[in-house]
């Protein structure tokens, strides 16, 4: 027996005290409505309406049931609304990962956007490398993340990618900073300061392969996990980094110059499990793509004696999942 359906019928009849009008409001014929009320009465073993007179009236049992039924149906409505919000990813807990180097302004925009789109969602944000995120997504201890491509993993779905152009980060006192751009071959003899391979193996291998293809075999690859350490190694001399232009803005003693012969772009996208994904994962992915695209800066101004040439930024790989 569909108790809730019969209770809905009962509540409408109880308010109208007229089976014909109640049937019209419910969008059904009167005979099935009468049968529904009769079945409810048999189920509860009471009479809900006094039909002995020409006017329909509630019995004592009907009067008592009316308040209980309305409360029960209101609770059902709240329950369905709650479950609907959970299905839409507007409630619950979302465990999300972001790269350690994510700028504060990007994090703020991402969190503000999530609050606007899903104010009831509790977001647990974790600072994780690409490799850590992929592992945790596979283990289902993370719901969604932001990773750097290429990523070799099965069972994952990727959101819209955003490409950020890369250039050479070097001290402003370096002779290489005098030009409007540099070639990778001109970096011969210098070390490469970069995130450890374990943090994003696919990207690390791709970066080194491009450097070798264009005439630069770094004397050493010096690992740096955070920007401050990276700045220190570059400013100490003997090494450069290949980073987005925004990184140079954090340190006034740094210069950023585009690469003339081998443009590079770091591709970032949201990622989440392909099956049984968190309801908010796709929404997070769309929002992250919007935030990352809006946050992409222009390159720092080159020396006053030169004007940077406009150029495209093709991606030398395409991994979209």
């Amino acid at each position: 027996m569909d108790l809730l359906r019969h209770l809905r019928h009962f509540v409408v009849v109880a308010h109208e005290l007229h089976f014909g009008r109640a049937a019209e409001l419910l969008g059904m014929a009167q005979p099935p409505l009468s049968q529904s009320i009769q079945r409810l009465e048999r189920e509860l073993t009471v009479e809900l309406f006094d039909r002995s007179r020409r006017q329909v009236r509630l019995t004592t049992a009907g009067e008592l049931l009316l308040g209980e039924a309305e409360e029960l149906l209101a609770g059902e409505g709240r329950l369905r609304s709650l479950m609907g919000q959970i299905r839409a990813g507007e409630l619950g807990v979302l465990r999300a990962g972001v790269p350690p180097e994510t700028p504060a302004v990007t994090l703020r925009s991402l969190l503000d956007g999530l609050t606007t789109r899903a104010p009831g969602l509790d977001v647990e944000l974790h600072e994780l490398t690409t490799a850590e995120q992929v592992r945790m997504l596979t283990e289902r201890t993370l719901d969604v993340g932001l990773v750097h491509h290429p990523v070799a993993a099965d069972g994952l779905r990727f959101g819209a990618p955003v490409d950020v152009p890369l250039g050479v980060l070097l001290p402003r006192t370096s002779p290489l900073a005098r030009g409007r751009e540099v070639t990778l071959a001109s970096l011969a003899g210098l070390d490469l300061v970069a995130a450890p391979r374990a943090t994003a193996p696919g990207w690390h291998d791709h970066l080194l392969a491009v450097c070798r293809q264009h005439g630069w075999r770094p004397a050493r690859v010096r690992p740096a996990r955070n920007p401050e350490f990276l700045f220190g190694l570059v400013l100490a001399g003997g090494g450069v980094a290949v980073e987005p232009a925004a990184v140079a803005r954090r340190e006034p003693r740094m210069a950023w110059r585009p690469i003339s012969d081998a443009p590079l772009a770091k591709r970032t996208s949201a990622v989440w499990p392909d099956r049984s994904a968190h309801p908010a994962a796709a929404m997070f992915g769309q929002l992250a793509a919007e935030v990352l695209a809006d946050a992409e800066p222009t390159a720092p101004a080159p020396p006053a004696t030169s004007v940077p040439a406009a150029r495209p930024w093709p991606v030398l790989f395409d991994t979209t999942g």
Side-chain angles (χ1 to χ4, degrees), residues 95-99 126-158 198-203 269-274 319:
R95 301 166 299 179
V98 296
H126 301 273
E127 183 184 31
L128 299 167
T129 66
T130 290
E132 290 170 335
Q133 291 183 56
V134 170
R135 175 180 57 79
M136 293 177 67
L137 286 165
T138 303
E139 296 172 351
R140 299 302 179 94
T141 55
L142 193 70
D143 298 314
V144 65
L146 284 177
V147 298
H148 299 314
H149 291 270
V151 173
D154 297 326
L156 298 178
R157 180 178 301 177
F158 295 89
T199 62
W203 167 249
S269 77
V271 59
W272 59 92
D274 187 45
T319 304

Side-chain angles (χ1 to χ4, degrees), residues 299-317:
T305 56
S306 62
V307 178
R311 59 184 299 115
W313 294 97
V315 183
L316 300 184
F317 59 87

Side-chain angles (χ1 to χ4, degrees), residues 161-230:
V162 175
D163 299 325
V164 178
L166 302 182
V168 177
L169 190 66
L170 63 165
R172 286 194 176 276
T173 55
S174 169
L176 292 171
R178 297 171 186 169
R180 64 184 183 186
E181 55 187 23
V182 300
T183 65
L184 288 178
S186 68
L187 303 178
L190 295 175
D191 295 342
L192 171 64
V193 182
R197 183 181 185 276
T199 62
W203 167 249
H204 189 275
D205 294 346
H206 170 73
L207 174 61
L208 288 179
V210 172
C211 291
R212 289 193 295 266
Q213 289 169 9
H214 293 270
W216 178 33
R217 290 182 175 273
R220 260 192 318 173
V221 179
R222 306 173 71 178
R225 287 183 175 271
N226 64 75
E228 292 301 321
F229 191 67
L230 181 146

